[in-house]
Amino acid sequence: MSGEPNDEELEKLRQEKMEQLQEQGGQGQGQGVDEEAMEAQREQREAQKKAMLRKHLTDEARKRLNTVKMSKQEFGEQVEQQVLALAQSGRIQGKIDDEKMKQLLKELQPDKKSFDIQRR
């Protein structure tokens, strides 16, 4: 293994974190617990997203997607959501490699506007 926690370990850690937050809620901390619970949920969604991407993308494709996200964050997140939607619908067989990622990026990239200037 690569030393990364698998889905079962991640779920166990999330469950322990939620139990800790619930115990703290019983101690009367009020508003802070709600914020912590929301933060824990956000972290859980992020961890699930990363696990899905790790499962369905090769290392090269994941690196390419991360590079795109660094330069064009909104577009990178849009591509990420598209990959997750494809994965959840079962339309991905195997893993998306670097070539497939390049194709996906070309398909999702907004059309560039071309300005042809004609002189009369």
Side-chain angles (χ1 to χ4, degrees):
M1 294 222 62
S2 60
E4 296 176 349
N6 62 27
D7 291 339
E8 291 173 15
E9 291 171 342
L10 285 172
E11 189 58 39
K12 185 178 177 185
L13 290 171
R14 286 185 204 109
Q15 191 63 36
E16 290 174 2
K17 180 70 174 174
M18 289 302 288
E19 288 172 6
Q20 283 178 345
L21 290 173
Q22 289 172 353
E23 287 174 14
Q24 289 175 357
Q27 297 171 358
Q29 292 184 355
Q31 186 67 22
V33 175
D34 291 340
E35 292 173 10
E36 287 180 23
M38 289 177 64
E39 179 69 18
Q41 287 176 347
R42 189 188 64 74
E43 287 176 10
Q44 181 178 359
R45 285 192 303 270
E46 191 68 27
Q48 286 175 335
K49 182 172 77 170
K50 286 181 180 182
M52 290 271 293
L53 290 173
R54 197 177 303 120
K55 180 179 178 184
H56 293 287
L57 299 177
T58 63
D59 289 341
E60 295 81 21
R62 225 172 39 245
K63 286 178 187 174
R64 182 171 299 277
L65 180 57
N66 286 336
T67 302
V68 169
K69 279 181 66 176
M70 283 183 187
S71 62
K72 299 177 183 176
Q73 186 165 2
E74 287 180 16
F75 179 61
E77 288 174 4
Q78 178 187 0
V79 172
E80 222 174 54
Q81 292 302 320
Q82 183 70 30
V83 170
L84 292 173
L86 290 171
Q88 289 172 345
S89 67
R91 293 170 41 197
I92 296 178
Q93 282 76 34
K95 284 191 169 195
I96 294 178
D97 62 2
D98 196 39
E99 288 302 314
K100 288 181 185 174
M101 180 57 74
K102 285 180 187 177
Q103 278 183 320
L104 187 61
L105 289 169
K106 281 183 183 177
E107 289 174 16
L108 294 176
Q109 189 171 23
D111 294 331
K112 292 184 179 176
K113 292 182 178 138
S114 156
F115 296 101
D116 293 331
I117 299 173
Q118 297 178 354
R119 297 182 191 261
R120 297 182 186 191

